[in-house]
Amino acid sequence: MKKRVSLQRSITLSVLSIGLLSGAFGLAYAYWETKHSFREAIGLGFQELARQSADKVGLILEKEIEWVERFSSLPEVREAVREGTRLSFNQQALQRWKESQRPYFRSLVILDRRGHSVGEVTSETTRTYYSRQPWWPVVFEQRRSWVGELRFDEMGHGYLEVAVPIVDEAGAVLGALNAVIEKDQLLTSVLRSRIGGTGHVMLVGPQGTVLACPLLPPGRHTAFMGPLRNSLASGRERPEAAWMEVQDDAHGQGGGIIGFASVALRPGIVQAETWSILVRQDPNETYAPLRLLVWKLAAFGMLVIAVVALLRWRLGRRIVLPINALVERVQLLGQQSGKQPTMATQSAGIVEIDTLAASFNELAERLERASRERGRYVAELERANQELVISEEHYRMLWDHSTDTRLLVNEEGIIRDVNRRGEIKLWTCADRLIGTKVEDLFLEEDRARLRRLLEAVIATKKEEPAGEMRMPSPAEGTLIMEVDLVPVENAGSLVAVMVQLSDLTEKKRLEEQLIRSERLASLSQFASMFAHDIRNPLVGIKKTLELLGQDEGSQPSAQRQWWDDMRFTIDLLLGMINDMLDVYQESHSGLPLLTSTVSVNSLVADVVQLFRTEATAKRITFHLEIPEDDVAMTADRRRLLRVLINLVHNALKFSPQGGKITVTVQAETQGCSGRESRGTSSSQATIQVADEGPGMAPEDLPHLFEMFFRRKDPGDIRNGRGLGLHFCRLVVAAHRGRIWAENRSSGGAVFSVELPLNQEAYAVHIADCRGSTAL
């Protein structure tokens, strides 16, 4: 009989030693490889940042040197050096140089070849001082620019000295320009760069001395030692940028990584010393991710060992064969062939495997019974799902392809669903509509009624027809909708309310067009008959007045003005009759114009004279704002006069007693350049008629010039038949102009007519302008 042992004990004894050994070696190798790669990545990053900062410092210095060089090349500077006169920045030519000077220039000195300061009293001591400066031979002998060392004053502020040659047109050096630049503001933008919490950029001298640091004053830094100092002192022979691990990073910390790069200027500039940009970071912050990674690797190694200890089993036949047999039985159980796994008849000798085999036998029997029950349940569920899918598809098809817009809203009036027709009609996708209130889709005056009807449907659970309501549309303006509210119930309880919208906009529009067409047809026929019948008697009256007017001795001079006014009124009536025939002709092909040169000032004067008697009776005064020079245009005088009569007559009707009517004429003139023009020319003229009446309702403004449009107050006897302003629009449009109306801020209305002026006068004016220019 075989000895029974524990499976867990057998696995632990056979695998634990192998797992510990392999985990230790793997962890050590991973740590070494990670540390090496991490140092390389950090070093290269610091090196690149140092190189970029060095390039930025070089560009800033070159820009300021270039400013000094460009300033030294100005003719005014050369002339000052030749003449030995003081250079003043108040000169207009040097004003822009003064305005562009950087705020960190401390001084600017101009010297001639003898070392004398231009425009100043210079002693022999001063001349000797400048001639002994290290930049003197560079500027005067090599004709190159020079940049000095970074120095510090007693306040701790650093500055930089720059010298450039002043060269004449032939290339000879006339003198030198010496400038001192403050280092603090110059390098502030570069030293602001930070890496994490402690990483920063420093400026280092050629001997490893820190010149600028954003964290510590330069005097509190320790000097660099060892290979880094040697590399910094090697000047231009050292590489452009590099990195290394140092024992002291000038902040009293060792083991850190340093990236450095030299600051190089363009070849034409001589540097007294070479500076370097150095990037450092606290080693604790630098290696913090590495330490965290080591802990993670250690935890991962322990986890691997634990997993190996749990999964590795003794590979002997005593363990492998029973497990393989059990696996084969499990595979037979999972196959769809219908073959049943065999029952275990022989003990494996291991407690856990024997128990597992017994449990598997019991599980196989239960699974078989459950499989048969599941088959029946699945078949029934598939049939129900298929019926449900068909029902949902049918419902969605009817919902989306409905000819009307349909919305489902809850008891709070929030939209929960919308059909496809609704998305198209409302020009909004369903995602944007769902979650909004249905009443927000309608105009403000219909929202309260819709809210009351919705509450009634929810309370009574009965359908409520809401009638016609209006809603704004971004594409079609205002839509007229017939609204029905239908409750949706489930198991006797209300779950939603369906809002059905039937679009009546097109139907209403067609009805209005039909009524309008019928009215136009009737009115056209009546107008034609009326105009035809009344024109002949008016012609006879006109002839009679003309005969009476020819007899000058039979009437006093005072009555002759009356005869003239009567003839003028008869001419207007005949013109109105002809206009009526033109406006209501069946072809509606436009008004025929009889154009001539018309004086706008004369038109306004005739209209004001015509209505002066009526205005005097109502104590209304006319205020004319007309330019002194006559404004001429090519137009149909009779019809344009009729437009002004309509506008002034409307202003008289709606002006209060004692009011004022203002008639304004404005012309946009184009004058000549050069000598003063002998005349004026205009491209267009604007005539405005303003009154002090009640004004117009804002909703009526867009419809004032439509045929048959009248104000909404039917009891106002001043309302016309909606024909006068429509005729004005036809006449102005025939003249290629435009007419509009608006309310005045001080009260009343103002009508404006804009018309193009005659082209003949414009051509004469252009010729006159050219002649004046030739003179």
Side-chain angles (χ1 to χ4, degrees):
M1 185 177 181
K2 297 180 180 180
K3 183 180 180 181
R4 297 170 64 87
V5 295
S6 172
L7 182 60
Q8 183 177 1
R9 182 179 179 184
S10 178
I11 295 173
T12 304
L13 293 176
S14 59
V15 177
L16 188 58
S17 58
I18 300 175
L20 289 174
L21 185 61
S22 60
F25 277 106
L27 182 61
Y29 177 78
Y31 173 76
W32 178 85
E33 184 69 20
T34 303
K35 183 177 180 180
H36 179 72
S37 301
F38 186 80
R39 289 177 65 254
E40 287 285 340
I42 294 297
L44 292 176
F46 285 4
Q47 171 184 323
E48 180 63 17
L49 181 58
R51 185 188 64 79
Q52 294 178 1
S53 300
D55 293 343
K56 189 174 182 180
V57 172
L59 290 175
I60 294 175
L61 293 176
E62 289 179 5
K63 184 177 180 180
E64 302 308 323
I65 295 172
E66 181 183 2
W67 186 92
V68 179
E69 291 176 343
R70 287 191 289 115
F71 181 79
S72 67
S73 64
L74 292 177
E76 291 80 359
V77 176
R78 295 174 181 171
E79 189 64 22
V81 174
R82 290 193 184 100
E83 300 294 334
T85 58
R86 180 180 180 85
L87 185 66
S88 174
F89 280 94
N90 293 328
Q91 301 179 25
Q92 184 176 2
L94 298 179
Q95 190 65 33
R96 63 185 185 93
W97 294 95
K98 179 180 179 181
E99 294 175 355
S100 65
Q101 184 179 5
R102 302 296 187 222
Y104 40 84
F105 273 88
R106 298 185 60 179
S107 65
L108 192 67
V109 180
I110 301 175
L111 304 171
D112 58 13
R113 294 188 62 89
R114 296 173 299 171
H116 291 172
S117 177
V118 175
E120 300 288 343
V121 178
T122 307
S123 63
E124 183 64 19
T125 302
T126 305
R127 186 194 66 79
T128 305
Y129 168 79
Y130 283 116
S131 62
R132 291 180 180 179
Q133 295 300 312
W135 51 265
W136 186 268
V138 175
V139 172
F140 286 92
E141 298 177 7
Q142 303 178 18
R143 293 191 301 178
R144 301 171 64 185
S145 299
W146 179 86
V147 178
E149 302 175 356
L150 285 174
R151 300 179 181 178
F152 298 86
D153 56 17
E154 62 275 12
M155 300 301 296
H157 299 297
Y159 61 91
L160 185 68
E161 186 177 6
V162 176
V164 299
I166 301 175
V167 185
D168 61 5
E169 294 80 2
V173 179
L174 300 176
L177 196 153
N178 180 263
V180 178
I181 306 173
E182 291 186 1
K183 184 267 300 181
D184 296 339
Q185 296 185 9
L186 182 65
L187 302 178
T188 298
S189 61
V190 179
L191 299 180
R192 194 181 295 119
S193 301
R194 301 297 294 270
I195 306 173
T198 60
H200 60 280
V201 178
M202 299 185 294
L203 182 64
V204 183
Q207 300 301 323
T209 304
V210 177
L211 301 179
C213 176
L215 296 185
L216 295 176
R220 295 184 57 184
H221 290 78
T222 59
F224 291 103
M225 304 298 294
L228 179 60
R229 181 174 182 179
N230 297 334
S231 179
L232 294 175
S234 62
R236 294 191 178 275
E237 297 178 359
R238 64 174 181 266
E240 181 183 2
W243 69 275
M244 64 176 60
E245 188 172 6
V246 295
Q247 298 301 323
D248 190 355
D249 61 357
H251 284 250
Q253 294 180 333
I257 298 176
I258 296 296
F260 58 93
S262 61
V263 178
L265 303 179
R266 55 184 168 87
I269 302 174
V270 177
Q271 296 178 244
E273 63 179 14
T274 303
W275 313 294
S276 299
I277 293 295
L278 190 143
V279 180
R280 59 84 55 187
Q281 189 179 30
D282 192 330
N284 294 326
E285 184 179 4
T286 302
Y287 290 106
L290 183 60
R291 298 190 187 95
L292 180 61
L293 181 61
V294 170
W295 283 107
K296 291 182 179 179
L297 288 176
F300 179 76
M302 297 300 296
L303 179 61
V304 170
I305 294 174
V307 171
V308 171
L310 292 175
L311 298 180
R312 293 288 185 89
W313 307 93
R314 294 180 63 182
L315 302 179
R317 292 176 58 84
R318 190 172 183 183
I319 298 177
V320 175
L321 292 178
I323 292 179
N324 289 339
L326 185 58
V327 169
E328 183 180 357
R329 295 171 61 196
V330 172
Q331 291 176 349
L332 291 175
L333 180 64
Q335 292 177 358
Q336 302 295 331
S337 60
K339 183 179 180 180
Q340 299 297 325
T342 58
M343 298 298 178
T345 58
Q346 185 179 2
S347 175
I350 299 177
V351 176
E352 287 83 355
I353 295 179
D354 291 341
T355 303
L356 183 60
S359 300
F360 176 77
N361 293 335
E362 182 181 357
L363 178 62
E365 294 178 358
R366 293 180 179 178
L367 288 177
E368 178 62 24
R369 293 193 298 268
S371 178
R372 291 192 294 268
E373 295 177 359
R374 184 182 64 85
R376 293 192 297 269
Y377 174 75
V378 169
E380 295 177 357
L381 185 61
E382 288 179 352
R383 289 194 298 270
N385 286 339
Q386 187 176 5
E387 294 177 357
L388 181 61
V389 169
I390 295 174
S391 177
E392 290 181 353
E393 291 179 352
H394 182 67
Y395 163 74
R396 177 55 62 180
M397 181 182 67
L398 295 178
W399 174 260
D400 285 336
H401 291 80
S402 174
T403 57
D404 296 329
T405 300
R406 294 182 178 180
L407 309 170
L408 283 182
V409 301
N410 58 12
E411 296 182 357
E412 289 77 20
I414 304 299
I415 300 175
R416 293 305 181 192
D417 196 4
V418 58
N419 65 347
R420 179 61 179 165
R421 179 65 62 179
E423 293 181 286
I424 297 174
K425 179 59 65 175
L426 301 178
W427 287 77
T428 308
C429 61
D431 295 339
R432 297 181 60 183
L433 289 173
I434 294 176
T436 61
K437 288 190 175 182
V438 66
E439 62 186 55
D440 294 340
L441 300 177
F442 296 87
L443 296 182
E444 184 68 28
E445 55 266 24
D446 293 331
R447 294 178 182 177
R449 181 160 61 97
L450 179 63
R451 195 181 307 115
R452 291 194 301 270
L453 292 173
L454 183 61
E455 294 173 354
V457 171
I458 295 173
T460 61
K461 299 181 182 179
K462 294 182 180 180
E463 180 179 355
E464 289 286 347
E468 296 181 2
M469 292 186 179
R470 294 175 296 170
M471 63 168 49
S473 173
E476 305 179 42
T478 301
L479 301 177
I480 301 175
M481 293 290 186
E482 184 177 3
V483 183
D484 290 325
L485 304 179
V486 181
V488 179
E489 300 183 54
N490 185 13
S493 60
L494 183 70
V495 295
V497 176
M498 183 178 69
V499 180
Q500 180 170 303
L501 307 176
S502 300
D503 190 1
L504 303 179
T505 307
E506 188 64 25
K507 180 180 178 181
K508 293 292 185 180
R509 187 180 295 115
L510 292 176
E511 290 178 355
E512 293 178 359
Q513 291 180 356
L514 180 60
I515 295 175
R516 182 183 180 88
S517 299
E518 293 177 353
R519 293 179 62 185
L520 283 175
S522 300
L523 186 59
S524 176
Q525 183 178 5
F526 169 76
S528 299
M529 294 174 60
F530 174 78
H532 182 271
D533 292 340
I534 201 174
R535 183 165 52 182
N536 293 332
L538 288 176
V539 171
I541 296 175
K542 178 182 178 182
K543 292 296 183 180
T544 302
L545 291 175
E546 290 177 352
L547 293 176
L548 292 175
Q550 294 175 358
D551 188 3
E552 298 180 358
S554 62
Q555 52 185 337
S557 58
Q559 294 180 356
R560 288 190 58 82
Q561 181 62 36
W562 299 346
W563 294 115
D564 292 339
D565 291 343
M566 292 174 65
R567 285 200 305 271
F568 181 73
T569 305
I570 292 298
D571 289 337
L572 289 178
L573 288 175
L574 289 175
M576 293 171 58
I577 292 171
N578 293 329
D579 291 338
M580 186 181 300
L581 293 175
D582 291 336
V583 172
Y584 297 111
Q585 60 182 338
E586 294 182 0
S587 61
H588 298 282
S589 58
L591 293 176
L593 300 180
L594 298 177
T595 59
S596 61
T597 301
V598 178
S599 170
V600 178
N601 297 15
S602 175
L603 281 178
V604 174
D606 290 346
V607 174
V608 172
Q609 178 63 31
L610 179 63
F611 290 102
R612 190 171 300 278
T613 302
E614 183 179 351
T616 303
K618 296 180 66 175
R619 291 185 293 106
I620 296 175
T621 60
F622 285 102
H623 178 68
L624 304 183
E625 297 180 1
I626 301 176
E628 296 181 359
D629 296 335
D630 194 10
V631 179
M633 63 167 32
T634 302
D636 189 329
R637 189 182 191 283
R638 180 176 59 82
R639 288 198 168 95
L640 197 56
L641 181 64
R642 179 58 183 160
V643 171
L644 295 180
I645 289 174
N646 281 335
L647 298 182
V648 174
H649 184 241
N650 285 341
L652 279 172
K653 287 195 299 183
F654 293 98
S655 293
Q657 292 284 341
K660 180 178 68 173
I661 297 176
T662 303
V663 181
T664 305
V665 177
Q666 296 178 346
E668 296 184 0
T669 61
Q670 300 175 350
C672 300
S673 61
R675 299 179 61 184
E676 185 178 358
S677 174
R678 291 172 295 175
T680 59
S681 177
S682 305
S683 59
Q684 62 184 15
T686 302
I687 305 173
Q688 292 184 334
V689 179
D691 60 56
E692 298 178 349
M696 296 164 289
E699 61 271 15
D700 292 343
L701 286 175
H703 309 286
L704 285 177
F705 299 98
E706 296 178 0
M707 185 178 291
F708 305 126
F709 176 79
R710 303 175 64 186
R711 296 177 60 187
K712 295 183 178 180
D713 186 4
D716 194 343
I717 60 174
R718 295 175 296 181
N719 290 342
R721 297 299 176 183
L723 298 177
L725 292 179
H726 176 68
F727 171 76
C728 292
R729 187 182 69 175
L730 293 179
V731 173
V732 173
H735 285 81
R736 297 183 180 180
R738 64 189 187 102
I739 182 171
W740 70 94
E742 54 190 346
N743 288 319
R744 301 172 62 188
S745 58
S746 59
V750 55
F751 285 80
S752 302
V753 178
E754 185 178 274
L755 297 170
L757 299 182
N758 55 319
Q759 298 299 319
E760 181 179 355
Y762 177 73
V764 171
H765 173 66
I766 293 297
D768 188 19
C769 289
R770 293 175 178 175
S772 300
T773 305
L775 292 175

